[in-house]
Amino acid sequence: KAGVTQTPRYLIKTRGQQVTLSCSPISGHRSVSWYQQTPGQGLQFLFEYFSETQRNKGNFPGRFSGRQFSNSRSEMNVSTLELGDSALYLCASSSLTGSTGELFFGEGSRLTVL
Amino acid sequence: AQSVSQHNHHVILSEAASLELGCNYSYGGTVNLFWYVQYPGQHLQLLLKYFSGDPLVKGIKGFEAEFIKSKFSFNLRKPSVQWSDTAEYFCAVNAGTSYDKVIFGPGTSLSVIP
């Protein structure tokens, strides 16, 4: 069974640009969560999608957005990039949301903003 | 809002030493608790989880954790660590509903010296 796939793995952008990250969940998983990982801050929850609907949202500004497609693939977008957006962005899929489903993580997309 | 704290940012141990990593959460209701591990160069993976029942749960690779409801704690233990346990460990919690987000602590970096 293929794992969670995230693309691109690495990318470099400059301030003010926007970026789109993609996540393909494990086949059959309908929940996709996104996290921002930075040193010392751990994993900060961005949002979670289930069946194309955003069900949970973290405390990030509106520049961070996401969506989920009918095949459960998800994308997240960050507009007007800032230096502080440099981080590892992790996607996790689950067969069910939250409590009853183990999160399966991808390897992440490492974003560097210059 | 839920939050998770981990007692130590970085722990250094010699092989065969015993390990205990502290984790406290803030949430008054029913919770589900997790420990995830991130080995160097690998993706996050589930170490163990508590949903209900016996508060002492056993996970992979000889790890165990004890849920103490009165202390809002879920500490991770291993009687004898190995060099291969060098990794970052994350405690996580979500409210005891099917649809709530999983919140992670800031992580504890464990270095095991041969």
Side-chain angles (χ1 to χ4, degrees):
Chain A
K1 204 174 191 181
V4 177
T5 304
Q6 292 188 245
T7 57
R9 290 291 313 281
Y10 302 91
L11 65 166
I12 299 174
K13 295 286 187 178
T14 56
R15 279 181 298 174
Q17 287 187 309
Q18 74 163 16
V19 65
T20 299
L21 308 178
S22 179
C23 172
S24 294
I26 290 173
S27 178
H29 285 190
R30 294 167 64 190
S31 169
V32 174
S33 299
W34 287 90
Y35 290 86
Q36 181 194 66
Q37 184 178 14
T38 53
Q41 294 289 318
L43 279 74
Q44 301 292 310
F45 177 78
L46 281 155
F47 25 67
E48 183 250 342
Y49 288 87
F50 185 83
S51 293
E52 301 180 67
T53 300
Q54 185 182 90
R55 275 231 281 230
N56 289 288
K57 190 176 188 303
N59 297 320
F60 277 80
R63 301 185 297 107
F64 292 81
S65 62
R67 58 179 175 169
Q68 186 180 34
F69 303 95
S70 58
N71 62 357
S72 294
R73 190 177 70 85
S74 177
E75 289 181 347
M76 67 163 283
N77 184 78
V78 188
S79 61
T80 319
L81 284 166
E82 300 177 359
L83 294 179
D85 297 333
S86 294
L88 181 67
Y89 290 89
L90 294 171
C91 167
S93 76
S94 177
S95 57
L96 293 168
T97 56
S99 60
T100 52
E102 172 186 346
L103 292 177
F104 292 83
F105 283 87
E107 294 186 322
S109 293
R110 185 167 295 281
L111 170 65
T112 301
V113 182
L114 303 176
Chain B
Q2 303 161 53
S3 67
V4 181
S5 62
Q6 294 184 234
H7 301 179
N8 309 95
H9 180 62
H10 193 187
V11 173
I12 301 173
L13 294 173
S14 299
E15 275 193 316
S18 64
L19 170 71
E20 180 159 4
L21 301 182
C23 170
N24 286 90
Y25 64 91
S26 65
Y27 183 72
T30 303
V31 292
N32 303 298
L33 298 156
F34 310 84
W35 276 96
Y36 281 82
V37 61
Q38 189 172 34
Y39 297 104
Q42 296 186 28
H43 58 271
L44 271 157
Q45 57 187 286
L46 183 69
L47 199 56
L48 48 79
K49 61 186 177 184
Y50 172 81
F51 286 169
S52 63
D54 189 343
L56 184 63
V57 293
K58 294 189 185 300
I60 60 173
K61 302 187 180 184
F63 285 91
E64 64 178 32
E66 185 176 13
F67 169 50
I68 304 179
K69 189 175 180 180
S70 60
K71 294 185 177 179
F72 298 90
S73 70
F74 190 56
N75 293 353
L76 181 70
R77 299 195 292 249
K78 186 172 184 179
S80 176
V81 295
Q82 301 172 322
W83 175 79
S84 58
D85 293 324
T86 295
E88 187 129 20
Y89 293 81
F90 295 90
C91 182
V93 63
N94 83 317
T97 65
S98 297
Y99 309 117
D100 203 41
K101 56 188 180 287
V102 180
I103 301 300
F104 284 77
T108 296
S109 176
L110 171 66
S111 297
V112 180
I113 302 169

